[in-house]
Structure formats: structure tokens, C-alpha cells
Amino acid sequence: MQASFEAENRLGYRILWWILAVALISGVIVSAIQVVLDARRVSADLNNEAGETIAMVKDAATQAVFSIDADLAKQVVDGLFEREAVHLAQILHTNGEPLSSRSRPMADSAFRPLTNWIFGAERQFRTELVRKGDPAGSVYGYFVVHYDTEPAAHMWLGRAIITFTSVIATAVILGMVLFFVFYMLLTRPLLRIVHSLKQVDPAHPDDRLIGTPAGHEKDELGLWVKATNTLLVAIGDSQKRHREAEDRVSRLARYDQLTGLLSRDSFMELLKADIEESKLNQTLLSVIVCGIDDFKSINDQCGFRTGDMTLQTVADRLLNYLSGSRFTVARLGGDQFVVVEKGLKDGFQAADTAEAILAGISENIGVEGQNISMTATLGIALYPSDAIQPDRLLQSAEQTMMLAKQKGRDHFQFYVASIDQEIRDRKQLEKDLSQALALHQFHLVYQPQINLETKRIIGAEALLRWEHPLRGLVPPDYFIPVAENNGTIVEIGQWVLEQACLQARLWADKGLHLRIAVNLSAVQLRQDRIVDDILSTLKRHSVPAGRLELEVTETSFMTNLSDAVAKLHTLNRAGISIAVDDFGTGYSSLTYLKKMPVQHLKIDKQFIRDLLVNEEDTQIANTIIDLGKSLNLTVIAEGVETAEQECYLSQRGCKLAQGYLFSRPIRPDDFETFVQRFHQKTVENNT
């Protein structure tokens, strides 16, 4: 439908042209008839006028020709010329000689050819002059008169023009009046109806029906609008039913009828898109195939209806536990489900999800008065390490699930055996780590920090150790990242702070006033109550704030610089020293040093290990020492193992050092003995 109508296409204008045409044609026909009749009447009037004139002067003309009175004849002839139409007048003897004759030129006119064609140029009349009472055949002469038709034709032409003009004007006025009436009563309402009709959404025609023009509620237009709206509503209902039918068909094709989850085909389409997204974002993706253990026994013992309801419950639990855009849940068929998790950083996240699935499925299900317990076995495949094609990735997860079922129930297994073992070890470590604090498996050791100028011990770094009953001594580099990842580092870190502060007070009671350095994890620093917890711990153990040093790594404050800086400033204002641990291993150390309340820089041991051997490490160590001097910061060297390293660092201006050259990290009692011996040896060397 066009947005607007051209003027010649509008119904009102077409009606106007028809009215004008009909009016004009009718008027012309009627006018022509009137003009013709008027012409006949004018022609008859000319003849009548000539007859009356001749009758009026016939006796005088007869007397003049009888008596051969030229004067009388002249009077008669001259009298006729008082009439404008008389062109020629003659009184003739019987021999044709004129007794009196007079003429004048015929009137000139631009319309003369037309009027001459209609009326003729002139009308000629001739009558015999006889006397009453004379014998028949006594003719004394003839009276001749010629009439010019132009004066009468001119009047007739004027009337004809007026007639035609009035007809045209009447037709135009009538046409405009009829057009206005038609526009107001029909065209304008129709245009409004058309405008309303254009607003109708073809996809949903019943959402916006046509409005009835005002004043036309009960006439034909109103009835037409109502009938159209009824048709639109019927079409809308039909389309709605059609869409619902299509949705039902699509849902039957895309979704599992029993559980409402995605069907296998629909799942594969989404899996392909998820793989493309993971490839673009360079993230991992896991496909977890879940098979219910011994589901056949549920059907056999409780019936298929109960089995179907059990599957529905499992589907609901999966959707509840795995909500969000990161997860896709589908039913592969039978008792098998599949879960896709996107945006993974490593396989451990997939293992966490698998444990959540196992825990959710293992909860008892109440179905129709029956308490059903069940377990599931999961097979996990990772993209891109295990497969990059959707069908191959799913096949890997399915095969892994079947292999896992052969080994037992209620567990998960990864496609690659080495990864599976690594993740199992990691999960077991997490489990053991969560119980280590309660089982008193942690203890602290202390590594002395030496002032290279005075050769005295000025502090100690508290280091956490985990004595596992089966694994033995677990390296901190192995379990600390696990604790940070699962959040147990917060509780463990608080325990370390408590033990360090307690030890600082015990040493102070024995006259050993040392500064205790404690590592502060990035996870701890993000806690809202970390400042209050640290200060309350110092107060609880009556340890001055100046005896505590907190060591933070650059990664501790890189994620939320403003929040970390604010917390560390608060701690520093309370008197606690701040040290940057592993300095030089980050990316923007100088930028952070401008904002951090730092007193100490610790050179990472990887740069000290190859000091004087590796030129780059030596340059980095020198740069950090020079930077500390320029910023008035104390530099502490970690991992000092040889006398040559100590000598070089001392000469370069490094103030403090710690490492195996002086002592390994030792327990508190051994530390007290070490301090006494070290100081005694220093005194002996000085003497």
C-alpha cells in the first residue's frame, strides 16, 4: 500500500472530474438546445417583424405608387429606416422602376460568418401593392424591404454566450460543492480508515484495530469498519493458533517431551556455537555426560511412571543447580543427560561442577509416596585439549562415562587419564586442606632476617607448613594456591596471624623483641573486615603494631588498586610495616610504589639465586637496590645462600637479607637458640 495517493488517484478527485464532465456535457447539450430554439425564435421574429412592417406601410406605399407620389413614397421608405435592421427599402412600379428607394450598408461584426451561416446575411421581403375594392389582378406596384440579420443575431449571440457561461459556472460550482460534500462524508473517513489500516501489524493484526470515523458509527462505513475489525481479529486468532502449532512442533523437535530439556539435535547446534565462542574468547569448555546408575532397576521396581517422574526431577535439579548463561543442559536419551560449561579457566572448575551434579542427584527423591535414592556417573571431556569438533567432543564424554561406569558408581572421570588423576589429586588435596586446620596439621616456622651492616637478627618471616599424615610435608607452593582458589586461605591466614602474634608476644616476654613478617594473601586483602581483624589480633595478643610487618605481592592489589591502597594505608597509619614481596616479578611495580605505603622491598630469590652468575639477574638486583635507595626504602634480599652473595649485596647497599646462608626456616624453640648463638658468634667475630 502506497504511503500517499497521487491527486489524480484520489477517489474524491475522480468523482469531481466525473461530476464536472457530466455537468458540462449536460449543460452544453441543454444550452445548445436552448440556443437553437432561441435562433429559431429570432428567425421567426425577423419574419414577423418584416410582415408587421410591411402591413403597417402597405397602404401608404399603395397610395404613393397609385398616385405616383414620389414624396409620399420617400416618406414611407425613410420611415422604415428608423428600424436598425432595415437594410434596403423600395417602392417599385409594375415595370420595376423604383418610385422611391433607399439602402444602407450592412452592419459589420467579427461573428458575421457565424451569424450569416445560421440566419443568413439578410432577409428579403416583396409584396404586391393593390387597392382594396379593385378588381383582382389590379397590381399598381411592389414594395420591397431587405432586413439585415446582424442586429438580431448579435443579441442572440450575446444570449448564447451568457447561456454557455452560466452552464459552465454552474457545473464548476456544482462539482466543487459535490466534491466537498463527498470528501466530508466519504473520502476523508475513507482516508482515515486507510491510515488506520496501514498501522495494522500483519504479524499481529488484532493488536491494533481500525478506528471508526466519528459520525459514521451507524452508517455503511461504520459497518464496513466493524466487519473489517472482525476479520482482523479472526485473522489474528488464526495466526496465533498457527504460531502456537508451529511452536508446539518446534518444541517437539527441539526439546525433549518428557523433561523439557533440549533434545540431542538442538544440543549439538548449541554446542557448535559454544565451541566457536570458546575459540574466540580463548577459554576452556567442558562437556559432562551424566548417566544414572542402574536406572533400569528403578523402572523394574517402581514402574515406568515413577521412572519418568524421576527423570523429570533429575532434569529440574540440573536446571536449578546449573542456572545461568554459562551452562547448557540437555537430555541425550534414556537415563543420560549432558551439561556444557563455558568460560572455564582450568579443569578444576569442571570437577567442581561435576561434584555439584553428583551431590544434587544423590539426594533422595520422593515420588508418589516412594523414597528413591540413586547415584550417577559422569564422563568429562574438555575443549580444546580432548577434541575440537562438537560430535567428537560429545563422543569422548560419552565414552568416558561408559568407562567410568565399569569402575564403579557415583564418581566422575576425565577423558585424559593424566588430567583425571591430576584433578582427583587436587580435589583430594582440597578436601584434606579443608580439614587440616581442625586437625592441627599446620605449624609455623620462622626464618631470621639479618641486618647486613650490624650482623644482627632484626626480625623473622613466619612461614606456614603443612604436615600431612599421608603425604608428609606438603610444599607451600603447592597448597597455598589451592587455598586461595577455594577461599580457605582466609581462615588459614587468620590462624597464621594469630600464631605469629602469639609467638611475638612470647618472645617479647623473654626479651627477644623481633619484628614478625607475615604474608598477606590477595584473597585476604579483598575481605571487607581484614583491617579490623588484623588490628584486633594485635590488640588481643598485646603486640605493638610496629612489631608486625605485612608482606604483599604485586598481584595482591593489581585487581582493585584503590581498595587495596586504602586498606594498607589504614594499617600503615596504625604502625604496621608494609613490604612488597617478590618485587620485580610483576608488571607495573613503579606505578604501584607511588601509591602504596611501602617501607620494604624484597628482592625475589630467583634473582639472588644466580647473582654474580647471570648478568641479567645481577642487573635486576642492582636496579631494585638502587630504586630502594632513591625511594628511601629498605631492601631485603631473599634466598641468600653463599657468602659471595652476602658480600656483594652488602657492598651494593642492601640492608637486610634472609636465606639458607644464615638459617633455614626453623621452629620457634630452635629459633630462640639460633638467635642466641648467632649474636654470640657475631660478638666473637667482632672481638
Side-chain angles (χ1 to χ4, degrees), residues 92-145:
L92 303 176
H93 292 288
T94 54
N95 59 3
E97 291 293 328
L99 177 64
S100 177
S101 176
R102 182 179 176 182
S103 66
R104 58 184 170 188
M106 298 181 69
D108 190 19
S109 173
F111 299 99
R112 189 84 196 197
L114 175 64
T115 56
N116 288 347
W117 178 73
I118 297 174
F119 298 102
E122 61 181 355
R123 297 284 180 91
Q124 300 179 5
F125 302 94
R126 179 186 176 93
T127 185
E128 295 177 348
L129 297 178
V130 297
R131 295 182 64 184
K132 296 179 179 180
D134 290 347
S138 300
V139 177
Y140 300 102
Y142 301 95
F143 178 71
V144 178
V145 63

Side-chain angles (χ1 to χ4, degrees), residues 8-72:
E8 60 270 17
N9 292 334
R10 290 183 182 268
L11 181 61
Y13 288 108
R14 295 175 66 186
I15 296 280
L16 173 62
W17 301 135
W18 275 103
I19 291 175
L20 290 177
V22 172
L24 287 174
I25 293 173
S26 301
V28 168
I29 294 174
V30 172
S31 300
I33 294 173
Q34 292 179 350
V35 169
V36 169
L37 294 177
D38 189 39
R40 291 183 177 181
R41 183 184 59 78
V42 169
S43 181
D45 288 344
L46 283 174
N47 294 333
N48 293 334
E49 181 181 358
E52 291 176 356
T53 301
I54 292 174
M56 180 179 64
V57 300
K58 184 176 181 179
D59 291 340
T62 302
Q63 183 62 37
V65 74
F66 178 76
S67 59
I68 312 176
D69 186 351
D71 292 332
L72 178 60

